[in-house]
């Protein structure tokens, strides 16, 4: 049992990160790949810790604030969030294009960076940097973990937009996996119950809204939407904490 769980975890790590994980002789590949959403939140603790350490050092050693934030973002994005950022850029170009579903899917599948991706992607990074300069370390741990949990929720609410592709590999999706993945959220409850329930509520709402918008725009979700939604949910949680931080002064 533990060997199977470890294999599924490593498969998840290789699926949604750039870490060089090699798994030999995987049995029941199609069955295992559909189980990986269970471990999505676990992966979120790794970039969340990277960003949290960057924030802690940036706030305690303010003379080197730029260096620590830049370093944390460079590491966190290279190994984890760039994978999702690529999907986010494709979402911007596809969803904001005023054409039909087929054309939007074509734009997203090509992966070319268009004006919508450049502009809104730049705004996203600038906003993330500013939030790292302002918020405490807990905010980034919560946002990173719940951002990954949102992907499991999105699969629960959605259907695939295409019969093939990265997103379609996870369907048909067993909704019990989303419930199982909640187990890995429990440690955050002990850090801050308030932050936990705010994050959970916003993540559920975000996943549902993205599911509905994606169905209207392209008829369902793709791997790009799945990855991009992780960063959207992450940002929604961070902005909520920023609002509480600002008005709580």
């Amino acid at each position: 049992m533990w060997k199977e769980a470890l294999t599924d975890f490593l498969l998840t790590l290789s699926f949604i990160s750039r870490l060089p994980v090699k798994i030999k002789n995987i049995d029941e590949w199609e069955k295992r790949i559909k189980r990986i959403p269970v471990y999505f939140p676990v992966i979120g603790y790794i970039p969340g810790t990277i960003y949290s350490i960057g924030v802690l050092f940036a706030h305690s050693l303010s003379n080197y604030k730029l260096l620590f934030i830049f370093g944390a973002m460079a590491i966190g994005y290279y190994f984890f969030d760039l994978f999702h950022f690529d999907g986010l850029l494709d979402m911007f170009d596809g969803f904001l294009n005023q054409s039909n579903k087929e054309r939007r899917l074509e734009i997203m599948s090509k992966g070319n960076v268009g004006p919508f991706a450049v502009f809104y992607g730049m705004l996203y990074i600038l906003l993330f940097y500013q939030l790292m300069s302002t918020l405490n370390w807990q905010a980034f741990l919560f946002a990173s973990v719940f951002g990954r949990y949102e992907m499991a929720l999105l699969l629960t609410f959605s259907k695939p937009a295409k019969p093939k592709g990265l997103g379609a590999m996870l369907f048909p999706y067993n909704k019990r996996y989303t419930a199982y993945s909640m187990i890995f959220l429990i440690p955050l409850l002990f850090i801050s119950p308030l932050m936990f329930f705010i994050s959970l509520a916003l993540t559920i709402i975000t996943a549902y809204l993205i599911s509905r918008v994606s169905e209207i725009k392209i008829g369902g979700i793709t791997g790009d939407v799945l990855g991009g939604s992780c960063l959207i949910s992450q940002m929604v949680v961070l902005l909520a904490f920023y609002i509480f931080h600002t008005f709580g002064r």
Side-chain angles (χ1 to χ4, degrees), residues 87-154:
L88 182 66
L89 296 183
D90 287 338
M91 282 182 69
F92 286 144
D93 274 338
F95 284 19
L96 297 177
N97 185 275
Q98 296 181 353
S99 57
N100 56 34
K101 295 179 181 180
E102 291 72 22
R103 176 56 181 159
R104 293 190 186 108
L105 279 171
E106 182 184 351
I107 291 170
M108 294 173 68
S109 64
K110 286 182 177 180
N112 297 332
V113 179
F116 292 116
V118 172
F119 181 75
Y120 289 105
M122 179 183 65
L123 287 184
Y124 186 96
I125 294 299
L126 289 174
L127 184 56
F128 192 87
Y129 174 86
Q130 184 59 37
L131 290 171
M132 285 194 74
S133 302
T134 307
L135 297 176
N136 59 29
W137 67 269
Q138 294 96 328
F140 291 89
L141 187 62
F142 275 80
S144 185
V145 174
F146 274 96
R148 270 73 184 175
Y149 178 64
E150 184 274 343
M151 293 194 292
L153 282 170
L154 183 62

Side-chain angles (χ1 to χ4, degrees), residues 4-19 21 23 26 29 32-44 46 79-80 83-84 148 151 170 181 184:
E4 286 194 359
L6 179 60
T7 300
D8 289 343
F9 168 74
L10 291 175
L11 183 58
T12 310
L13 196 59
S14 68
F15 193 80
I16 59 170
S17 81
R18 289 174 55 90
L19 292 177
V21 179
I23 311 170
I26 298 180
W29 168 265
R32 285 188 180 277
I33 202 70
K34 288 178 170 55
R35 286 205 301 253
I36 67 171
V38 173
Y39 300 93
F40 281 172
V42 185
I43 307 302
I46 307 175
F79 287 106
F80 296 93
F83 185 77
H84 304 306
R148 270 73 184 175
M151 293 194 292
L170 300 173
S181 68
F184 300 111

